[in-house]
Amino acid sequence: MSMEIWDPGLQSERTRLAWVRSAVALSTGGLGAAGAALRTGMPMIAVAAFAVAALCGGVLLVRTGARFRRVQEALHEGRSLDEKADALLAWVGTLAVVAAAGVFLLFRA
């Protein structure tokens, strides 16, 4: 019995949808939080960090289609994947949200 990397199931499609959900949450959450931070007079560093998160989410969303095609090709050809850039963008966006939320909490305290 041989183990093949490729399975005709919908793993790639589910992964793409997960990236889309994450990117949309990061971009819309970042924009909403940046707007709320501006309206409440939060320090500009918090606004900027939320904006960075929104930008990272937007870039991830734009890259989703190309990433999906690369994943499909790699799976069909038995190649390994290298998605470090997208993972880095996701981490930077998430860390920006955490940093901005920290500033938000400190400012409110």
Side-chain angles (χ1 to χ4, degrees):
M1 179 174 178
S2 70
M3 289 289 289
E4 292 187 28
I5 294 176
W6 175 250
D7 180 356
L10 299 174
Q11 295 87 346
S12 298
E13 289 80 3
R14 286 192 302 268
T15 301
R16 180 183 185 182
L17 289 173
W19 275 102
V20 168
R21 282 190 306 269
S22 299
V24 168
L26 201 54
S27 60
T28 57
L31 283 175
L38 273 174
R39 285 189 302 279
T40 59
M42 298 302 292
M44 286 308 292
I45 189 74
V47 176
F50 283 133
V52 166
L55 178 64
C56 288
V59 170
L60 284 172
L61 191 57
V62 168
R63 291 176 49 93
T64 298
R67 181 186 326 102
F68 176 73
R69 285 188 297 281
R70 285 192 313 270
V71 166
Q72 287 293 93
E73 290 169 3
L75 285 173
H76 285 288
E77 296 170 6
R79 292 184 287 117
S80 63
L81 301 172
D82 181 20
E83 297 299 321
K84 292 178 185 166
D86 292 330
L88 180 63
L89 273 173
W91 270 106
V92 167
T94 302
L95 291 175
V97 169
V98 170
V103 170
F104 185 82
L105 290 173
L106 288 174
F107 185 77
R108 288 302 214 190

